[in-house]
Every structure is written in C-alpha cells, then in structure tokens.
Amino acid sequence: MVAVIKTGHSVRRILNYNENKVKTGEAHCIGEGNYPLPVERMSLIMKLSRLLNQNTLNDNVKRGSVHISLNFHPSEHYSAEKLLQITDAYMEKIGFGQQPYLVYQHHDAGHPHIHLVSIKVRADGSRIDMQNIGKNQSEKARKEIEKDFGLVRAEDSKKELIPSMKPVPAAKVQYGKTESKKAISNVLYAVLSSYKYTSLAELNAVLQLYHIKADRGSENSRVFISGGLLYRIVDQSGKPVGVPIKASDFSMRPTLAFLERKFALNRGEKAFEKKRIRSIVDSAFFGKEMNLDKLIVLLEKEGINTVLRKSDAGLLYGITYVDHVTKCVFNGSALGSSYSAKAVLERCKTTVGKEVPSALGTILKSRIDFSEKQSCENGVQEINIKGLHELMKPEWQPDYDGGKCKARRKKKKRKGRSDLN
C-alpha cells in the first residue's frame, strides 16, 4: 500500500473533486467517519457543512483541508467493507481517528485506490500537527496495516506499482474521440509542472504539439478584461474546435494568475539551458546543405520540436524551440539573432562552406586568408602563413618589469621604517 497525503486551503474544492468523480461514474462514496448519519442519507450540503463548521473553530489554520489517497497493488481488489476497515485503522494510527472524514473509492486508474477527505482542526479547536506526518506516522501505519490485513508490501511492489500510479500519459487530443475536459487535463498535468516556459506564447508552443491552446480571448472580450483564461482544443491547422473550458474548472486550477507565478519562477531556472539548442542548430548547418524541412527533422531526432508561426499568406515570421530533453521552451530571438526565423531562413540559403556555426568560425573567417592559388603538386588549397600566425598570436599583455615592482616595494619599506623612527 502507498499513502499520499496533501493539505490545502479549500475543503469545498477537494470535496467537489471527489463528488464530480461520483457524478461521472468514476468513483463511489463508500463510507464516512464521525458523521451523525451514514453517507446514503446525507446530501452534499450535509457532508460539506460538517467539515466546514469544525474548521471554523480555529481561524489561525489556513490550510485546513486534508486529502489522502491509499493506493493498492493492481491485484488487490477488496470489498468496500475491507476498504473501510483499512481506512479506520489508518486514520486512527495517524491521529485522525476522531476527525470527520469521507471515503471515496475511485475507478479512474490502473490500480485500486481510495480517497479520504478530512480536516486538521479538532472538535476542541486545536490543530493537528502534520509536520513530517508522511515520513513518520503514515509510514509506520502503512507497514502495520500491510501486516495486519495481509496487503502487498509497497517495498515488494515498488517496481510494479509506481509506474501504474503515474498520470495518464499526455497524447494529442482529438476532438470527439475522448472526453474533452479529461483529455485536456491529462496534457496540462504533464506539461505545466515539467516544462519551463516564461510566457503564454511559449506555453502554447508546447500545448500546440498536443492540439491544445491557452486562450485569453480578444482584448475587448470579457474574459481578457477580467483576467480569465480558456483552454481550447485545436485542429491540425490551429483553429479552435468544440467548446472552450475555463481554467478554474480544472482541479489543478491552471489560471492566468497561476501561470504568471510559473513564468516568474521559470525565468531563473532555464537561463543556462540555451547552449544545447544553439549547439545542435549550429552543427546541423555545418558543412552540409540545409533547408527548413531537413532542419526540423534533424532537430526532432535530438528531441527538439520547432513550432513555426506563419502569417495568413504563409510567410514564416517566428520560430519557437521546444526541447523535450531539458524541458525548456525558447523563442528563436531569445537564443540569439542567428536563431530567429529570419536568420534561420537566411542560413538555409547559404551555400556549403560559407556557413560558420559559431563565434570561433567568425574569427577564422576574419583572420585566415585562404589563397586562391591551387597547389600544382597536391591539388590542395594553400593557407596563408601570415593569416595562421595572426590567428595563433597570443593576446597582448603588458611587459613584466621586475625591477620597477621591486623598487616600489623597497621604497615602501624605507618609508615605513622612517615613520617608526
């Protein structure tokens, strides 16, 4: 068994997440703890009120909601009664035995698991200390429950269970073939937390690969003015299809305010990741004929997608590089003038031998004078010796004059001795 404990600011949000799963048939509320009525006789308002009312007994607790998931081995399909017994034992061992809580059995993953919704404020208004609860109380409780109930140990199934607990892999969204909200949610879960982007345009460069777009609307729209954000499914040409979904409707709440915090955080984290893309682009041009289509294929082999921005007339005016190895996104101009859309097109037109991939190449071209005269004996191009000498010449340094330095030191010593006298 694997236990995951999370806290949050909103009890209502966590409860609604589980209740929405119930509405779509992906979960069932199978039990409760320390409620006056069984779940079959309670409405959503009654479930929520019990938690909210007790949380108000301590206004100093800001993150009062507790969301726990207990995950079992794929071979462990237990009855609701046994799951409730495991839940009661677990909550008692971690210090939540007297807290109100709800138990939801989920069916939306490749392994059996349950979700527990509770609060950290006790009935007397005191707060339950959850510092290191996962490492200490929860880990001890897990091992005891595995032994008492004959569960598959987490250590034995680590290689098998953990991969099955990963989020659903992100895939290109196809409108009409899968549930739109769930498909978009899977992509957002995979992209938002792992890629480093510093603007909405850079984020959309990644999302576009999955046929999704984050849209603020036109400048005069109500969504734009209110600071809202919509997520849309787009077709192959980038045109929106279907009904957009508000960012606040997703459980992770990937709103504009959330993204702006990510933008600020990512600016510092991806500052050192430009060199890899530059090197790969430069090596692609070095010594070979190149066109834009061939460049795109070569970069894809290195794990870099190029997202092209074109005008209505089909003219290329922008290029964004998405590096899936470093998880960084860069607009072409951010890498340097040589990597913008205009510069890349010009480099594609350059004939073989004239394209130089780096700053060293610029020095070589400026300092080495290639003779036009061909050697009759070996047919090789002769290199002007003067040019090589100029290239290998060390940078100028001032001549070292030991006498002057020594004289200054002696003068200071004499001056020091005279002061003492």
Side-chain angles (χ1 to χ4, degrees), residues 71 76 92 112 114 117 126 136 144 150-151 275 341 363 373 402-403:
N71 305 271
E76 297 179 297
E92 187 68 36
I114 57 177
V117 180
S126 61
N136 299 327
E144 292 177 355
L151 307 182
K275 184 182 294 185
I363 298 174
K373 181 181 178 181

Side-chain angles (χ1 to χ4, degrees), residues 285 290 344-351:
F285 281 104
M290 186 58 57
V344 167
L345 288 177
E346 290 176 352
R347 294 172 75 175
C348 286
K349 296 176 183 178
T350 306
T351 57

Side-chain angles (χ1 to χ4, degrees), residues 144-380:
E144 292 177 355
I145 289 173
E146 287 174 347
K147 183 178 179 180
D148 295 340
F149 289 88
L151 307 182
V152 177
R153 297 195 314 160
E155 291 85 355
D156 296 339
S157 60
K158 185 176 181 181
K159 294 181 180 179
E160 186 175 353
L161 177 59
I162 297 302
S164 67
M165 291 174 58
K166 290 182 179 179
V168 178
K172 290 185 178 181
V173 178
Q174 294 181 314
Y175 180 71
K177 293 192 176 182
T178 56
E179 182 189 347
S180 297
K181 185 177 179 181
K182 185 175 182 179
I184 295 175
S185 181
N186 288 338
V187 173
L188 294 178
Y189 191 94
V191 170
L192 296 184
S193 59
S194 57
Y195 284 82
K196 299 180 182 69
Y197 42 86
T198 56
S199 67
L200 197 62
E202 289 183 356
L203 172 60
N204 274 328
V206 186
L207 295 179
Q208 182 179 327
L209 301 176
Y210 300 96
H211 297 170
I212 295 175
K213 179 182 180 182
D215 188 11
R216 292 196 61 190
S218 62
E219 293 187 3
N220 298 323
S221 66
R222 186 175 61 181
V223 174
F224 187 93
I225 295 173
S226 63
L229 187 66
L230 302 173
Y231 288 94
R232 300 176 178 272
I233 298 176
V234 297
D235 58 18
Q236 294 281 356
S237 60
K239 295 181 179 179
V241 293
V243 180
I245 302 175
K246 294 191 296 183
S248 56
D249 287 345
F250 294 95
S251 59
M252 68 189 75
R253 296 182 66 82
T255 60
L256 185 61
F258 169 85
L259 294 179
E260 287 175 344
R261 291 193 295 269
K262 294 285 289 184
F263 296 158
L265 183 65
N266 291 339
R267 286 189 185 98
E269 290 187 354
K270 73 172 191 172
F272 302 100
E273 306 294 349
K274 298 179 180 180
K275 184 182 294 185
R276 176 180 135 81
I277 301 178
R278 288 172 178 160
S279 299
I280 294 175
V281 172
D282 288 338
S283 63
F285 281 104
F286 184 56
K288 61 177 76 73
E289 291 184 355
M290 186 58 57
N291 57 53
L292 188 58
D293 292 335
K294 188 185 294 185
L295 175 65
I296 292 172
V297 173
L298 288 174
L299 293 181
E300 284 182 353
K301 291 180 180 179
E302 298 292 338
I304 301 173
N305 277 112
T306 51
V307 179
L308 308 178
R309 299 187 297 279
K310 296 182 179 181
S311 65
D312 295 336
L315 299 177
L316 179 66
Y317 67 87
I319 184 171
T320 302
Y321 302 90
V322 181
D323 188 350
H324 299 290
V325 175
T326 63
K327 302 292 185 182
C328 286
V329 188
F330 291 102
N331 190 30
S333 56
L335 293 174
S337 58
S338 298
Y339 308 93
S340 65
K342 180 180 179 181
V344 167
L345 288 177
E346 290 176 352
R347 294 172 75 175
C348 286
K349 296 176 183 178
T350 306
T351 57
V352 180
K354 292 185 179 181
E355 181 60 39
V356 181
S358 61
L360 177 60
T362 305
I363 298 174
L364 286 169
K365 289 201 302 183
S366 62
R367 292 191 178 184
I368 297 181
D369 178 22
F370 284 100
S371 174
E372 298 293 334
K373 181 181 178 181
Q374 299 293 323
S375 172
C376 299
E377 296 181 358
N378 51 22
V380 235

Side-chain angles (χ1 to χ4, degrees), residues 18-215:
N18 286 278
E19 287 292 331
N20 287 335
K21 291 284 186 179
V22 174
K23 291 179 181 178
T24 59
E26 297 176 292
H28 291 90
C29 187
I30 61 174
E32 79 296 323
N34 301 304
Y35 268 82
L37 295 172
V39 289
E40 298 82 7
R41 298 173 56 187
M42 286 192 293
S43 64
L44 176 59
I45 299 299
M46 295 173 67
K47 296 177 184 176
L48 180 61
S49 297
R50 174 77 175 91
L51 301 172
L52 290 178
N53 291 339
Q54 186 160 319
N55 248 1
T56 57
L57 298 177
N58 191 334
D59 294 334
N60 293 324
V61 179
K62 303 303 180 185
R63 298 180 64 87
S65 66
V66 180
H67 196 188
I68 304 172
S69 65
L70 301 181
N71 305 271
F72 304 94
H73 189 271
S75 65
E76 297 179 297
H77 297 279
Y78 300 125
S79 64
E81 290 75 13
K82 185 168 183 176
L83 291 176
L84 290 176
Q85 292 174 5
I86 293 173
T87 299
D88 293 341
Y90 178 81
M91 296 296 273
E92 187 68 36
K93 291 177 183 295
I94 68 171
F96 277 75
Q98 304 304 314
Q99 294 299 100
Y101 59 86
L102 296 165
V103 186
Y104 292 85
Q105 183 179 10
H106 284 229
H107 315 287
D108 56 350
H111 64 284
H113 65 289
I114 57 177
H115 285 237
L116 316 178
V117 180
S118 188
I119 53 176
K120 63 169 66 173
V121 178
R122 296 188 180 96
D124 61 0
S126 61
R127 180 179 65 87
I128 297 178
D129 184 12
M130 297 187 65
Q131 185 72 21
N132 292 325
I133 190 173
K135 181 179 179 181
N136 299 327
Q137 297 96 313
S138 179
E139 188 67 8
K140 181 181 177 182
R142 174 188 68 79
K143 293 179 179 179
E144 292 177 355
I145 289 173
E146 287 174 347
K147 183 178 179 180
D148 295 340
F149 289 88
L151 307 182
V152 177
R153 297 195 314 160
E155 291 85 355
D156 296 339
S157 60
K158 185 176 181 181
K159 294 181 180 179
E160 186 175 353
L161 177 59
I162 297 302
S164 67
M165 291 174 58
K166 290 182 179 179
V168 178
K172 290 185 178 181
V173 178
Q174 294 181 314
Y175 180 71
K177 293 192 176 182
T178 56
E179 182 189 347
S180 297
K181 185 177 179 181
K182 185 175 182 179
I184 295 175
S185 181
N186 288 338
V187 173
L188 294 178
Y189 191 94
V191 170
L192 296 184
S193 59
S194 57
Y195 284 82
K196 299 180 182 69
Y197 42 86
T198 56
S199 67
L200 197 62
E202 289 183 356
L203 172 60
N204 274 328
V206 186
L207 295 179
Q208 182 179 327
L209 301 176
Y210 300 96
H211 297 170
I212 295 175
K213 179 182 180 182
D215 188 11

